[in-house]
Amino acid sequence: MNTSISMALWHFTNLNKYGNPRSRIFHRPDGEAFSFNPNGFGSFVAVRRYKYDYEHPVLPPTILELNGKTYLMPLWKEVVEGTTVNDINWVKPKPKRTEPTIEMHTSSSNADIEYKTAYYPDSGKYYCSCPGRWRAFDGKCKHIKALEKKVNK
């Protein structure tokens, strides 16, 4: 039987005596009720579950306790005492494409004419060979707008 208690981080926001919001992050065992004396805390605003964000494509986050302080590694970011790996939101960035995305479109007025639409991720630029591109006010024909939606999913 596992008798370990898991801790949870909480983000507490209230108003001080001057009406300015202040926030604190603290830990409590999961499921433990918030029983605090509101005297001296000012007007209560919000309490919500909190997780630290950690962004790295490969290295997983770890917690280090050193000289009475707790750190999120490998960032060396000081975190609240009692923080565990379960309190970390590991954000893995999507890999960046370097190859261009190319699509071919057939003209709606003449089936023999094709237009090439391309997105170049290195520069972030779009290109289309249709005449609508130079006619469009913003330089974005319907083919470029459709490709932008696909690329930005």
Side-chain angles (χ1 to χ4, degrees):
M1 180 176 171
N2 186 358
T3 59
S4 67
I5 298 173
S6 86
M7 303 297 271
L9 290 179
W10 296 94
H11 186 260
F12 173 80
T13 304
N14 67 333
L15 300 177
N16 65 14
K17 65 182 181 180
Y18 303 107
N20 299 321
R22 63 180 173 188
S23 297
R24 297 182 197 122
I25 298 170
F26 59 95
H27 69 278
R28 304 182 71 77
D30 275 345
E32 186 176 303
F34 289 97
S35 57
F36 58 87
N37 183 356
N39 293 338
F41 278 98
S43 300
F44 171 76
V45 177
V47 174
R48 64 178 170 86
R49 181 75 165 83
Y50 183 79
K51 286 191 171 199
Y52 289 99
D53 283 334
Y54 168 76
E55 187 173 332
H56 197 280
V58 180
L59 291 175
T62 57
I63 299 296
L64 172 69
E65 292 180 13
L66 182 67
N67 298 329
K69 294 186 178 185
T70 307
Y71 297 95
L72 171 58
M73 300 299 288
L75 301 177
W76 282 98
K77 178 179 182 175
E78 189 172 349
V79 295
V80 173
E81 181 183 351
T83 300
T84 66
V85 176
N86 294 331
D87 298 317
I88 311 297
N89 180 28
W90 186 7
V91 180
K92 297 179 187 175
K94 293 181 181 178
K96 295 186 178 184
R97 291 185 296 209
T98 56
E99 295 296 316
T101 303
I102 299 172
E103 291 185 350
M104 298 302 290
H105 300 278
T106 304
S107 172
S108 57
S109 61
N110 185 345
D112 295 336
I113 300 175
E114 282 193 338
Y115 303 118
K116 175 182 170 182
T117 307
Y119 168 66
Y120 300 96
D122 293 336
S123 64
K125 300 208 184 240
Y126 291 86
Y127 169 79
C128 187
S129 61
C130 79
R133 181 166 189 259
W134 56 268
R135 288 185 195 147
F137 177 73
D138 59 357
K140 296 180 180 180
C141 65
K142 64 182 180 181
H143 309 116
I144 290 177
K145 289 177 183 177
L147 187 57
E148 277 181 328
K149 285 183 182 179
K150 286 182 182 179
V151 168
N152 295 326
K153 276 187 181 178

